[in-house]
Amino acid sequence: MEHEQMFLKMRSEGKLKLLDLFCCAGGAGYGYHLAGLEVVGVDIEPQPEYPFEFIQTDAIQYCKEHGHKFDFIHASPPCQHFTKYNNCRKNLKEKYEDLIQPTRAVLIESGKPYVMENVVGAPLINPITLCGSMFGLDVRRHRLFESNLEIPQLKCDHKIWQPNRFPGGRSRERGHARVLCRGTVEIGRWNIPIKTQQDAMGIDWINELRKLSESIPPAYTKYIGEQFLCGGAFLKTFEPKTKYGT
């Protein structure tokens, strides 16, 4: 009841503000915007395509200093440390720092409702998994979401995709890159028109292939934002854990 009263008080004070950490070009932020939140993005790199208020600075430090000013915080720390592409690019883990634990620490310290997103394989705590099939998208793109909110887990339905509609991917088991062998679009492929990839993701403002490949479909965070705004996701008991998976 205490959390419900807090939420109702926040809603009565006007439009709620979402802090979008490690925002990149704004795939996650746009979903929260569609849900009805006011979005502010933070990233260490310039993000000229970011569609909302943007602050270029260190995301973790900004959250330490300003996180308490926001109603809800989303963080997408770099995924390269955990991506499956480490199997073919051995220097990725050395090039990209693991920021999961320091990000989690500042999110918990903020005392705010939060979501942290990353790829399958990242050491998130009790995450839900979202998939393009849950939202009728032409991407599979499983992503994990850790939160101190109770967010309902939706079900995948990969049967919605007809086979052999799009070219294969980078690995042999997915088929040759010039052969139509996939039911979904692999984002980041040079041989698939950028418009096809944008449409599959629900993103029309990101024109750089690399940044599009680093984005998540706005439909994912629209769903999370709607759960938050409708009061369907309340703070749960969440004990910070000192080690991954313990």
Side-chain angles (χ1 to χ4, degrees), residues 40-60:
V40 176
V42 176
D43 202 288
I44 194 69
E45 299 292 338
Q47 301 296 341
E49 294 180 312
Y50 192 76
F52 311 109
E53 181 182 347
F54 172 73
I55 300 167
Q56 184 179 350
T57 190
D58 180 83
I60 291 177

Side-chain angles (χ1 to χ4, degrees), residues 19-230:
L19 176 59
D20 184 12
L21 300 173
F22 307 96
C23 65
C24 197
Y30 197 78
Y32 289 114
H33 162 74
L34 292 175
L37 289 153
E38 180 181 342
V39 179
V40 176
V42 176
D43 202 288
I44 194 69
E45 299 292 338
Q47 301 296 341
E49 294 180 312
Y50 192 76
F52 311 109
E53 181 182 347
F54 172 73
I55 300 167
Q56 184 179 350
T57 190
D58 180 83
I60 291 177
Q61 187 61 36
Y62 187 88
C63 188
K64 284 182 180 179
E65 297 175 1
H66 303 281
H68 64 281
K69 301 176 184 177
F70 292 82
D71 302 299
F72 191 16
I73 305 176
H74 173 100
S76 292
C79 67
Q80 287 87 347
H81 196 84
F82 309 105
T83 178
K84 64 180 64 177
Y85 294 128
N86 278 293
N87 297 331
C88 57
R89 300 177 185 174
K90 301 301 181 182
N91 67 333
L92 276 182
K93 284 192 175 183
E94 298 174 1
K95 186 176 179 181
Y96 293 94
E97 185 179 358
D98 174 5
L99 295 178
I100 296 290
Q101 182 57 30
T103 300
R104 178 184 292 124
V106 296
L107 292 172
I108 293 172
E109 183 182 358
S110 75
K112 297 293 183 175
Y114 76 81
V115 167
M116 178 163 55
E117 174 269 332
N118 221 275
V119 296
V120 173
L124 301 192
I125 299 174
N126 299 326
I128 66 165
T129 302
L130 295 183
C131 166
S133 69
M134 300 169 181
F135 307 99
L137 302 176
D138 277 331
V139 289
R140 179 169 176 172
R141 213 159 183 77
H142 286 180
R143 290 297 182 269
L144 306 181
F145 295 83
E146 172 185 316
S147 184
N148 59 352
L149 298 173
E150 294 282 3
I151 301 172
Q153 173 66 67
L154 303 176
K155 291 184 179 181
C156 290
D157 184 10
H158 296 173
K159 294 179 181 179
I160 69 169
W161 298 312
Q162 296 298 314
N164 305 327
R165 299 168 59 214
F166 302 104
R170 298 173 175 85
S171 56
R172 289 183 180 179
E173 65 269 20
R174 293 182 180 176
H176 193 279
R178 297 183 183 277
V179 176
L180 297 181
C181 59
R182 287 174 57 98
T184 57
V185 177
E186 182 171 4
I187 305 303
R189 289 300 299 163
W190 60 268
N191 58 326
I192 300 176
I194 184 70
K195 180 66 164 57
T196 299
Q197 299 185 51
Q198 290 173 324
D199 290 346
M201 290 279 282
I203 291 173
D204 62 6
W205 70 93
I206 301 177
N207 298 300
E208 183 181 334
L209 200 57
R210 179 182 66 82
K211 288 191 175 182
L212 186 64
S213 70
E214 294 174 350
S215 300
I216 62 172
Y220 293 7
T221 45
K222 180 176 183 286
Y223 167 70
I224 293 173
E226 287 172 344
Q227 292 298 309
F228 171 67
L229 287 171
C230 76

